[in-house]
Amino acid sequence: MDVLLREIRPSADGIAEYRDVEVSADTLTLGSAPDRSIQVLGNNVGAEHAELVATSGGMTIKCRRGYSVLVNGEELSSATLSSGDIIEIGGNRLMLVDAPAGFDHGIQIELDQDVDASVFEGAFRTDLYQSWFSMRSAAWTMSGLLIVLAFLLPMFLKGSGDGSFADSAWIPSDAFWTSGPLHPAHELAIGDDCRQCHVQNFERVQDAACLNCHERINDHVHTDTMAAISTLEPTPRCATCHLEHNEPEPHLVIRADSLCIDCHIDADQLSVAGSIESVSGFSETEHPAFAATLLKPVSSRAGTGLSFEWLEQSEAISSAVEMSNLKFPHDTHLDAELVTDLREGNPLGCGSCHELSLDREHFVPITMESQCVACHELTFDPTMPDRLLPHGQPVEVMFALEGQYLRKFSDPSVPQEAVVRRRIPDKDNSTRECVDTAFNCATQAAAEDIREQFTVRGCVSCHIVEEHADSEIYARYQVHPVRLATDYFAAGRFDHLAHQVMKEKTGDAACVACHGADQSSLSTDLLIPDIDTCLACHSDKPTPGRVTTSCIDCHSYHPFASDYTATIETSQP
Amino acid sequence: MIHVGILRYANNRYLWWSLALVVVSAILYSTQGGFQPANGGTWQGYVLGTVGALLIVWLLMLGIRKRSYSSSLGSVAGWTSAHVYLGTALLIVATLHSAGQLGWNVHSLAYLMMCFVIFSGFYGIYTYINYPHSMTANRSGSSRSALFAELFTLDNRARELGAKSPDDINVAVRSAVERTAIGGGVYAQLVGKDQSRFIRPSSGADSDGGTPVSNRDQQPVIDFIAGRLPKTNKIAETELLQELLEIFCRRQAVLRRVSHDIRLRGRIRIWLLIHIPISVALLIALVIHIITTFIYW
């Protein structure tokens, strides 16, 4: 619509001057700002004070929030105007007049001629505080957004988990509260489902949440033999040692020694007092000397012979003696001058007999058949080199020897002379002559050979043989059974593979450095190192030239459930 | 000078306090480590976090202290000095509390908001040190009101002269005066271009039409009047135009100072428009940070 704005101002000679401006717009802006359609200056005139909207019948005036105008002397914030109405705003008068020819509306404007400089200055927005930006509303807006988006929505909408709209991706979830990334395995299993572990608000994660999945974990002590750890105070929670969201630590286990030492520093205070020693660190003075778990044979008379029972016994390494009942000089076997591999002719090494298990700590059990027999063959009949004496079955050995002589003395295809004159090494041939029946000759010759096997050159080389001279031949020789310990430190762990390279020593030199096998001539020597061997290279505190070691490098809070300890477990009544 | 006085208040007392706080925090931080990594969850982390939270609350209380004129809790200058130094120390205390770990979570949001508040404060200190001098120099020792009063006088004189001038000059002069843009919104006050316009009469002395064109820096209207000067042949009119020319050149000088003054004051205040609302929101974020930490303990 076309509007004619006629400004009337008095001139010096008293005759009013006119100035007409034509505006084509439906809405006219009114205020002190220079960009208004009608700029009016004056006290309490806002920069964007009001708007005049042209309608077909007249005009309406609408003030901004907080502003008002006088319409025909009445203070209003909005009004419908018709011809003749007078608007007063800060000393300025606007009057709607009948539309002049060619226009839709006419407004006669009389501006206040007494505007002073301060009012003039107020017409402009020259300070940031006059802008639309309000610190108060900005603070309220941001605070409100934070409370709703970062607290209320995650708290009360998310986690209801009913698949409703609250679970849509755009609604912020309690994952926004995470204090750091989860362990990758937990991330995979749990993801953003915080409530899997954080069951109760304001309550620390309870062990039950962990045990939901980790149901097969062993408690710190065996509940069937000792009081459960839960009777101790304060009760260690899973999270005492296993901290989640523990950025940037990639492991879930806190390796701090204090977690162990806090309780173990005074063994008398523990519920297992008496069975363990106090520990305050890893040094000669802070850690007890090692005690090895050994197998001790206990014999008792049973009928004409002995019966053996094996007991597990923990003994200080400094005084412990190996009681495997096996005769084995390590030094001889490692001496390249004396012993070489029968097939290749190479000197023997540690690995010739000791094969590391997959757990890198233990070794495959040593048996006659898998390790010794390669050199120590049990052949007994030169004419039949494939026949072997049955190892571990003394009576069967005797039967085998008897059978051999019976066959030889009674075989018609074998000349008696040859049998009788059979040359036996180191024996006077004359004593071997036999003029009796074939059966008697055979049993006599067998008895002599059996005696030699069990007491001079065969079994007795490696075994302790007890001779009961009065007993009949089959019960006369009793071989003491051999049991080799498989795990000297059931409660400790050790990585043999990692120790294959120790400083400048590698391979067998590394083995010998700790076990000293090349200096051991007796199988009663316990070749298990004591704490001082470990301390030569390890320390519990960062020390130059030492590798820092924490409690859990060797010990486990949760007992192992491996085969090695299982044997101990099942031996319990 | 007041602004320097805040920094050197009481022989840098709060600078030394803050340095001591930073050193103690750093020592506390360094006692973490070993097998348990440094983060907000260690006892050292909790201590640093508590100190940081108390600092934030105290720093916000400057707003209350400033308004309580009867307070006996030390001078506002002292508070402001401590606010500046302890606020800077907070940056380090909170960083040690977080151990530099950031992620997409409410904790990092609070930390980043805090950084934003502190760095906006740094900008504020920079403006307080540098701008008052530039502002005084720009106004040549007078006040902004004096500049506006001078402009008002010049405007009125220009209107008077315009009324006596030929119509085309009158239209140009009046429109140039009325459509002189000063200040405006946030953008206009800080970086906006001069949006002044004037109606350049089409052509000829008695033309009643015209087009609104840009009057940036008032130069176009000056050029217009100057261009009209050779076309006049009456001495009275020439004198009128010459005075108008002088008036508009003086207006141009005053307007330059006014707009520069507005821009400088805008810069001195804009950081507060960010600093204060975000620091209030930071308090909310801090509370959420603490509550959520313990909801999911």
Side-chain angles (χ1 to χ4, degrees):
Chain A
M1 294 189 179
D2 295 327
V3 184
L4 178 72
L5 303 178
R6 167 162 295 174
E7 186 188 337
I8 302 172
R9 52 163 54 220
S11 68
D13 52 10
I15 301 167
E17 291 177 358
Y18 295 85
R19 185 167 151 262
D20 291 345
V21 178
E22 299 160 26
V23 181
S24 288
D26 290 338
T27 304
L28 303 177
T29 54
L30 194 59
S32 64
D35 61 345
R36 302 291 93 180
S37 315
I38 306 169
Q39 189 189 16
V40 287
L41 302 178
N43 291 318
N44 303 322
V45 177
E48 297 167 11
H49 195 105
E51 282 182 353
L52 282 163
V53 181
T55 59
S56 53
M59 298 190 96
T60 57
I61 186 163
K62 205 175 162 195
C63 295
R64 284 237 170 163
R65 185 192 293 269
Y67 292 113
S68 61
V69 292
L70 292 177
V71 179
N72 299 325
E74 189 183 356
E75 186 171 346
L76 295 169
S77 59
S78 66
T80 306
L81 308 170
S82 55
S83 183
D85 286 339
I86 294 170
I87 304 164
E88 286 175 80
I89 169 171
N92 304 283
R93 276 163 56 95
L94 278 69
M95 186 168 74
L96 252 66
V97 294
D98 291 332
F103 292 93
D104 299 299
H105 298 284
I107 301 174
Q108 192 169 300
I109 304 166
E110 291 173 45
L111 293 177
D112 183 3
Q113 300 302 312
D114 299 325
V115 175
D116 65 9
S118 68
V119 170
F120 172 72
E121 183 180 352
F124 300 97
R125 289 178 299 157
T126 56
D127 195 297
L128 288 181
Y129 293 153
Q130 296 169 307
S131 69
W132 58 270
F133 187 87
S134 149
M135 287 198 280
R136 192 171 296 251
S137 52
W140 278 111
T141 307
M142 279 191 283
S143 301
L145 282 174
L146 274 171
I147 290 170
V148 170
L149 295 176
F151 185 73
L152 293 179
L153 284 180
M155 182 80 190
F156 295 110
L157 261 186
K158 273 285 185 182
S160 54
D162 55 0
S164 64
F165 91 101
D167 288 324
S168 2
W170 60 269
I171 293 185
S173 77
D174 48 4
F176 193 53
W177 297 349
T178 183
S179 61
L182 281 175
H183 184 275
H186 285 162
E187 176 72 46
L188 203 62
I190 300 169
D192 284 348
D193 191 1
C194 310
R195 296 276 173 190
Q196 286 263 339
C197 302
H198 300 279
V199 178
Q200 199 77 32
N201 289 342
F202 298 107
E203 182 186 67
R204 299 210 268 185
V205 175
Q206 299 298 299
D207 293 352
C210 308
L211 296 174
N212 264 345
C213 299
H214 299 274
E215 52 188 2
R216 301 187 67 150
I217 195 76
N218 292 324
D219 204 348
H220 186 38
V221 288
H222 300 276
T223 48
D224 52 345
T225 57
M226 298 180 210
I229 191 75
S230 55
T231 62
L232 298 174
E233 290 295 338
T235 310
R237 300 157 53 237
C238 297
T240 308
C241 305
H242 303 289
L243 266 189
E244 252 301 358
H245 305 284
N246 194 24
E247 202 179 358
E249 173 65 52
H251 306 293
L252 270 185
V253 185
I254 298 179
R255 298 163 59 87
D257 287 352
S258 60
L259 288 170
C260 306
I261 291 170
D262 282 352
C263 289
H264 284 266
I265 194 163
D266 187 0
D268 293 339
Q269 298 300 313
L270 298 175
S271 60
V272 289
S275 62
I276 58 172
E277 293 181 62
S278 300
V279 183
S280 57
F282 190 58
S283 69
E284 301 265 14
T285 53
E286 294 172 314
H287 192 286
F290 292 170
T293 303
L294 298 170
L295 291 171
K296 184 184 178 187
V298 178
S299 58
S300 57
R301 195 141 292 278
T304 55
L306 293 171
S307 131
F308 286 87
E309 198 186 343
W310 293 90
L311 296 182
E312 277 185 347
Q313 181 173 302
S314 182
E315 260 190 80
I317 288 188
S318 52
S319 58
V321 174
E322 189 80 80
M323 290 172 286
S324 63
N325 283 345
L326 183 72
K327 295 174 189 170
F328 184 83
H330 273 97
D331 57 351
T332 306
H333 283 81
L334 287 173
D335 188 338
E337 303 274 317
L338 299 176
V339 178
T340 53
D341 176 1
L342 265 189
R343 295 191 187 103
E344 309 284 341
N346 296 327
L348 295 184
C350 302
S352 305
C353 301
H354 298 287
E355 185 193 340
L356 192 57
S357 292
L358 289 177
D359 68 2
R360 294 163 57 141
E361 177 183 353
H362 303 91
F363 288 85
V364 175
I366 286 177
T367 62
M368 172 71 181
E369 290 72 21
S370 53
Q371 272 89 4
C372 313
V373 85
C375 299
H376 299 280
E377 292 178 311
L378 296 182
T379 55
F380 62 100
D381 186 347
T383 61
M384 305 181 80
D386 288 341
R387 286 200 69 192
L388 300 177
L389 288 175
H391 181 252
Q393 302 169 73
V395 176
E396 294 298 322
V397 168
M398 295 170 195
F399 287 159
L401 290 172
E402 279 184 345
Q404 185 213 18
Y405 284 108
L406 276 172
R407 189 169 49 79
K408 288 195 172 172
F409 277 101
S410 57
D411 190 344
S413 65
V414 178
Q416 271 310 298
E417 198 64 11
V419 174
V420 173
R421 301 258 172 219
R422 184 172 66 91
R423 177 174 164 71
I424 310 271
D426 306 327
K427 291 291 168 188
D428 182 1
N429 278 337
S430 61
T431 63
R432 306 294 298 167
E433 288 180 8
C434 182
V435 290
D436 210 333
T437 60
F439 177 78
N440 287 345
C441 285
T443 49
Q444 278 171 33
E448 178 59 20
D449 209 3
I450 287 167
R451 192 189 66 79
E452 279 197 13
Q453 280 287 350
F454 280 93
T455 63
V456 182
R457 60 181 171 84
C459 314
V460 77
S461 311
C462 305
H463 293 281
I464 298 167
V465 179
E466 184 109 358
E467 185 170 358
H468 309 290
D470 301 337
S471 302
E472 52 118 12
I473 183 82
Y474 299 126
R476 191 172 295 160
Y477 305 104
Q478 185 173 15
V479 178
H480 285 205
V482 170
R483 285 279 294 272
L484 300 174
T486 49
D487 196 7
Y488 291 95
F489 300 118
R493 59 174 159 228
F494 182 84
D495 188 342
H496 276 102
L497 200 60
H499 288 79
Q500 276 284 293
V501 180
M502 293 196 304
K503 292 185 178 173
E504 70 282 2
K505 294 193 172 73
T506 60
D508 285 1
C511 302
V512 165
C514 294
H515 292 288
D518 58 338
Q519 304 296 321
S520 165
S521 58
L522 294 173
S523 53
T524 52
D525 296 340
L526 180 65
L527 301 183
I528 300 301
D530 205 344
I531 188 170
D532 52 349
T533 309
C534 302
L535 288 172
C537 300
H538 290 277
S539 168
D540 58 350
K541 294 164 196 72
T543 311
R546 307 275 186 91
V547 177
T548 309
T549 308
S550 63
C551 298
I552 62 168
D553 284 324
C554 305
H555 298 283
S556 175
Y557 180 89
H558 303 285
F560 303 128
S562 72
D563 292 343
Y564 298 97
T565 49
T567 57
I568 301 170
E569 286 293 284
T570 52
S571 71
Q572 301 289 338
Chain B
M1 287 193 279
I2 290 168
H3 44 276
V4 178
I6 286 168
L7 295 182
R8 305 242 170 98
Y9 183 83
N11 269 334
N12 300 326
R13 178 194 298 163
Y14 297 109
L15 171 63
W16 296 115
W17 282 26
S18 301
L19 282 176
L21 178 63
V22 167
V23 169
V24 169
S25 301
I27 291 171
L28 190 63
Y29 177 84
S30 68
T31 60
Q32 297 174 105
F35 292 117
Q36 162 64 347
N39 59 37
T42 63
W43 72 262
Q44 294 96 332
Y46 278 118
V47 170
L48 288 169
T50 307
V51 170
L54 291 175
L55 271 177
I56 288 175
V57 171
W58 181 84
L59 290 165
L60 275 164
M61 282 166 67
L62 177 68
I64 299 168
R65 172 65 191 88
K66 274 171 72 175
R67 285 165 179 77
S68 50
Y69 302 105
S70 59
S71 170
S72 56
L73 294 168
S75 69
V76 170
W79 271 66
T80 313
S81 178
H83 183 89
V84 167
Y85 285 118
L86 291 175
T88 308
L90 171 65
L91 188 62
I92 292 165
V93 170
T95 304
L96 294 177
H97 168 62
S98 75
Q101 295 160 13
L102 288 176
W104 288 107
N105 53 55
V106 70
H107 319 290
S108 296
L109 177 67
Y111 176 79
L112 291 178
M113 286 173 71
M114 184 206 73
C115 290
F116 207 78
V117 170
I118 293 174
F119 284 113
S120 69
F122 287 166
Y123 174 75
I125 294 166
Y126 170 81
T127 60
Y128 275 142
I129 289 175
N130 293 290
Y131 286 5
H133 177 72
S134 326
M135 287 171 78
T136 315
N138 173 53
R139 294 193 305 250
S140 303
S142 79
S143 69
R144 182 186 280 190
S145 296
L147 289 173
F148 269 98
E150 188 181 352
L151 184 63
F152 184 63
T153 313
L154 290 169
D155 279 3
N156 284 341
R157 181 71 186 140
R159 278 202 188 91
E160 275 174 33
L161 294 172
K164 295 176 190 165
S165 307
D167 273 357
D168 63 332
I169 295 290
N170 190 24
V171 166
V173 165
R174 285 187 64 99
S175 62
V177 167
E178 283 169 5
R179 302 199 185 188
T180 296
I182 301 172
V186 176
Y187 180 82
Q189 288 190 34
L190 285 172
V191 286
K193 288 178 184 169
D194 184 359
Q195 297 292 333
S196 300
R197 300 176 84 75
F198 83 109
I199 297 172
R200 182 200 291 276
S202 301
S203 60
D206 47 12
S207 167
D208 55 348
T211 35
V213 294
S214 169
N215 189 20
R216 181 180 300 172
D217 198 29
Q218 304 297 315
Q219 196 57 47
V221 74
I222 291 171
D223 292 345
F224 174 76
I225 297 168
R228 276 287 271 108
L229 206 50
K231 295 175 192 163
T232 51
N233 38 26
K234 295 179 213 159
I235 290 176
E237 196 175 308
T238 308
E239 283 173 352
L240 203 65
L241 287 183
Q242 271 172 340
E243 194 183 345
L244 267 177
L245 205 53
E246 187 203 328
I247 297 272
F248 270 93
C249 287
R250 284 173 61 192
R251 273 188 97 245
Q252 182 183 48
V254 170
L255 280 169
R256 280 177 183 172
R257 288 188 177 181
V258 166
S259 61
H260 193 51
D261 192 56
I262 289 169
R263 192 160 298 183
L264 287 174
R265 192 188 286 186
R267 286 184 199 164
I268 234 173
R269 288 211 167 144
I270 184 64
W271 70 274
L272 264 179
L273 294 185
I274 295 163
H275 190 80
I276 291 173
I278 296 185
S279 61
V280 171
L282 166 63
L283 184 67
I284 302 296
L286 177 71
V287 171
I288 294 175
H289 158 64
I290 294 170
I291 291 177
T292 56
T293 299
F294 290 105
I295 285 180
Y296 285 175
W297 202 356

